[in-house]
Amino acid sequence: MGIARFGRGAGAAAALAALLLASGCSTAQTAPPRAAPAAAPVAAERPNVLLILVDDLKPAIHSFGDPVAVTPNIDRLVARGTRFELAFANQAVCAPSRMNLMTGARSTSSGIYDFGENLREYMPNAVTLPQYFMAAGYRAESIGKTFHIGHNTVGDPQSWSTTPYKDHVIEYVSPEGKALGKTREAALFNEFEIPKGDVWAYARTLGRGIAWESPDVPDEAYGDGRVAAKAVGRLGELKAKGQPFFLAVGFARPHLPFSVPKRYWDKYDRAKLPLPSFERMPDGAPAFAGKVGGEINAFAPIDPETREADYPEELKRTLIHGYYAGVSYVDAQIGKLLAELDRTGLAKNTIVVLWGDHGYHLGDHAIWTKHTNYEQATHLPLVFAGPGIGAGQATRQLAETVDIYPTLAALAGLKVPAGPQPIDGTDLTPVLHDPAARVRGYAYHAYPRPNRLGQAIRTERYRLVRWTQEQTGARDYELYDLVADPLETRNLAAAQPEVRARLDALLDSQPKPKPTQRLTRAPATKPVANP
């Protein structure tokens, strides 16, 4: 069945609001919450929320320790708040990771591990993060890429007070890019009206896009520039409404293709950009733990028959250059949002969260995108700033994407979220007051392979990945010492059985994971084509 669409009836909405505010528990709910709960009485000082989501953003940020990244605006946000140096995706792929964020539930709790596995088909009664704020009297809006839309995955319209604004993820403005016409990745992202049937099969009939372009155009020539402009305009309008708001703003770059205005490419000297440091799988790692090809092969001039480690050096440099150009482009868009917060006076009463949906390999382990359980794919930037949050702080507290939901609820003075979906996250507010505080000694993430589930525990020093064969229960392990071996070059699972056993016990203490097999259902409803 496709995703259910519900009306905006005020009666059920008011009941949900009363339930949340009175008891902090939504487990009595028996039907999916409606799109725009009626406003409940809200304290005048209740903070607004600006949630900034960036696709494929690893901590390639100057204030996170990357010496080559040109990110003055994110650095300014970091100076205003608390950065988490050890924050991790619960799963290193766009659609499930965003489900983790919006529901507070890990993929292993929801069963959503892949594209085409839609929220209301797996958790029909879930109260998403923006819904939770709507129930408390907030207006919730989405601009840009928040939920992943594409690859047979649809959005969640009942999570917002009004229709979300969606812009392009795959877009070319150079003459050579435009000349390509319809490309396979554009089809997968629903950038144009697509025929009925299997979108993956249809996409395979189309040509490839180009992996990068650098035309001399204004920011608004691409979707991210338009998203920033739309969000800047809405901030002033939302302030005028006088109702607290939850505004989610999502940017597509540095996701492929690296289609970025020339001036952001010009910020970097390609010869000085770092090349991959370790271009093979870890010694002793199971072969199925890695990734070959995939998304990178959807773009020219990539040769699908060439091993990633064997790409010509000039190609590697160009891909890395394009990624960093994308980071700086998005940094400039974030700067526009921060400037508008300052201009309107909203900064003093707005909690700002910056989150990358997962990391990115950039050639390390001979992998160029994500979709693994390794550090490069799972490590993400996370920043909280605003009222009640310490400024200029850095913490080594381990954090997960699912922690954002309960942390934002606590910062806004709302009751502790209670579902009805599993809320796997931990409230990080003690760390926002004192970066030396600790609320949990590890982060958890997972990634599946055919017939196997890889569950991982990441401590400040180690990562253990336990691969379980779902039919037989057979297990394989990977153990890495991230202090002695930050590039994860050697699997220590056999050499350090005591550490393996200790971290394995932590995995055993987690909720039992849902199987990776898809639900049996009809194809998902095809999302509306891009405007």
Side-chain angles (χ1 to χ4, degrees):
M1 118 185 120
I3 187 168
R5 295 178 179 265
F6 300 90
R8 294 183 170 90
L16 174 59
L19 181 63
L20 288 172
L21 293 173
S23 67
C25 177
S26 58
T27 54
Q29 184 179 330
T30 57
R34 303 199 181 252
V42 178
E45 67 275 10
R46 183 157 287 172
N48 305 304
V49 175
L50 174 60
L51 175 62
I52 302 171
L53 309 86
V54 185
D55 209 336
D56 285 6
L57 181 63
K58 66 192 299 180
I61 297 166
H62 190 77
S63 51
F64 275 78
D66 189 318
V68 303
V70 181
T71 52
N73 297 291
I74 296 176
D75 298 342
R76 182 159 57 95
L77 176 64
V78 168
R80 293 181 177 186
T82 299
R83 79 176 187 270
F84 285 78
E85 296 179 341
L86 294 174
F88 294 88
N90 292 109
Q91 190 181 340
V93 60
C94 298
S97 180
R98 290 162 189 267
M99 296 287 191
N100 303 149
L101 172 72
M102 293 297 188
T103 64
R106 297 164 171 168
S107 299
T108 46
S109 292
S110 68
I112 297 174
Y113 295 98
D114 204 352
F115 298 112
E117 298 177 352
N118 289 297
L119 173 60
R120 300 297 168 186
E121 297 165 346
Y122 283 74
M123 297 187 290
N125 298 329
V127 177
T128 64
L129 175 58
Q131 281 181 301
Y132 198 75
F133 274 78
M134 284 196 294
Y138 280 69
R139 180 173 181 83
E141 296 191 7
S142 166
I143 299 175
K145 185 178 179 182
T146 52
F147 284 93
H148 182 95
I149 297 176
H151 304 78
N152 285 333
T153 301
V154 300
D156 190 53
Q158 59 263 47
S159 284
W160 311 106
S161 303
T162 189
T163 302
Y165 173 84
K166 180 182 182 295
D167 214 304
H168 293 290
V169 174
I170 309 298
E171 184 174 20
Y172 299 109
V173 302
S174 67
E176 56 271 35
K178 286 183 175 181
L180 297 170
K182 297 177 179 179
T183 65
R184 64 182 67 171
E185 281 293 292
L188 291 173
F189 275 96
N190 304 315
E191 302 288 17
F192 51 85
E193 190 67 32
I194 56 177
K196 293 181 179 179
D198 181 4
V199 66
W200 295 91
Y202 171 66
R204 287 192 290 271
T205 69
L206 302 175
R208 300 192 298 165
I210 51 177
W212 64 81
E213 65 176 13
S214 55
D216 191 1
V217 295
D219 289 1
E220 291 76 16
Y222 292 110
D224 283 346
R226 298 189 293 271
V227 164
K230 177 77 170 178
V232 165
R234 283 304 291 155
L235 283 170
E237 294 164 357
L238 289 168
K239 181 184 180 182
K241 286 181 178 293
Q243 181 182 1
F245 62 80
F246 180 106
L247 178 62
V249 181
F251 295 108
R253 300 284 81 76
H255 190 288
L256 278 164
F258 303 136
S259 301
V260 179
K262 177 179 180 295
R263 63 184 164 279
Y264 298 104
W265 291 77
D266 291 345
K267 292 181 180 292
Y268 296 93
D269 181 346
R270 182 176 306 187
K272 295 181 180 178
L273 290 171
L275 287 172
S277 299
F278 185 75
E279 295 184 89
R280 57 186 173 85
M281 286 289 290
D283 293 340
F288 53 76
K291 174 191 174 185
V292 176
E295 177 185 4
I296 190 72
N297 288 339
F299 298 94
I302 308 303
D303 179 2
E305 302 303 318
T306 300
R307 292 175 60 250
E308 286 92 325
D310 295 334
Y311 287 173
E313 180 176 321
E314 183 60 23
L315 175 59
K316 294 177 184 179
R317 288 195 181 277
T318 302
L319 291 171
I320 292 168
H321 191 177
Y323 182 88
Y324 275 94
V327 171
S328 290
Y329 173 49
V330 166
D331 175 81
Q333 310 320 305
I334 292 171
K336 297 171 186 177
L337 303 184
L338 300 180
E340 184 65 7
L341 290 179
D342 290 339
R343 188 192 71 80
T344 58
L346 285 167
K348 64 179 179 293
N349 194 40
T350 299
I351 298 164
V352 181
V353 178
L354 172 68
W355 171 79
D357 60 357
H358 44 67
Y360 208 74
H361 273 276
L362 277 186
D364 290 290
H365 288 124
I367 298 168
W368 277 90
T369 56
K370 52 270 186 179
H371 308 144
T372 75
N373 275 313
Y374 293 120
E375 186 80 358
Q376 295 291 339
T378 58
H379 190 197
L380 57 81
L382 177 62
V383 181
F384 286 83
I389 299 166
Q393 298 183 157
T395 179
R396 300 284 289 175
Q397 167 65 57
L398 278 295
E400 303 176 23
T401 289
V402 292
D403 296 336
I404 294 172
Y405 191 147
T407 303
L408 278 176
L411 288 170
L414 307 184
K415 296 287 187 178
V416 177
Q421 76 275 16
I423 302 294
D424 293 316
T426 298
D427 176 9
L428 299 171
T429 53
V431 184
L432 300 177
H433 303 144
D434 175 9
R438 293 293 178 265
V439 297
R440 187 183 57 230
Y442 60 88
Y444 171 96
H445 59 87
Y447 202 91
R449 290 286 184 249
N451 303 314
R452 288 183 174 88
L453 177 60
Q455 297 170 266
I457 289 289
R458 173 59 156 94
T459 68
E460 191 164 347
R461 179 166 183 174
Y462 294 102
R463 166 176 285 107
L464 178 77
V465 185
R466 182 172 77 192
W467 292 97
T468 303
Q469 219 285 350
E470 292 188 292
Q471 280 69 45
T472 67
R475 290 177 172 178
D476 294 274
Y477 289 89
E478 296 178 85
L479 176 66
Y480 302 99
D481 184 338
L482 277 301
V483 173
D485 181 22
L487 298 180
E488 295 176 306
T489 67
R490 182 185 173 212
N491 179 10
L492 302 174
Q496 297 192 17
E498 299 86 359
V499 176
R500 189 189 80 180
R502 175 166 55 83
L503 299 182
D504 203 20
L506 278 178
L507 281 175
D508 287 338
S509 71
Q510 306 305 307
K512 183 178 179 181
K514 294 286 183 69
T516 62
Q517 289 80 8
R518 291 171 179 263
L519 291 177
T520 301
R521 63 186 190 280
T525 302
K526 185 178 70 173
V528 177
N530 226 25

